[in-house]
Amino acid sequence: MTDAVGSIDTPDADDETAESKKKSRKGGKRGKKGPLGRLALFYRQIIAELRKVVWPTRSQLSTYTTVVIIFVVIMIGLVTVIDYGFQEAVKYVFG
């Protein structure tokens, strides 16, 4: 049984020519600009993305900073305790 459009395995001839035409075109607007134009476009895009960022308020920033500092202090304490335990274990085993 065949359908009117064709088989999935064999693409139509029109599809192949349309795809090859799209691939042969190079660059578009970006390809016509020189290196300085592309660099300027890159920086404009960076600024546009930074304007989309939702920046934290001062109170949120201080809360986040406090949480990070407390977490780092806890991790330093944990690593210190584990290191001291390994030190004592090595002293016990090797003398």
Side-chain angles (χ1 to χ4, degrees), residues 73-95:
V73 167
I74 290 172
M75 292 307 294
I76 288 172
L78 182 66
V79 169
T80 302
V81 168
I82 291 172
D83 184 48
Y84 181 75
F86 281 135
Q87 177 184 352
E88 292 300 316
V90 166
K91 279 184 182 177
Y92 179 76
V93 170
F94 294 111

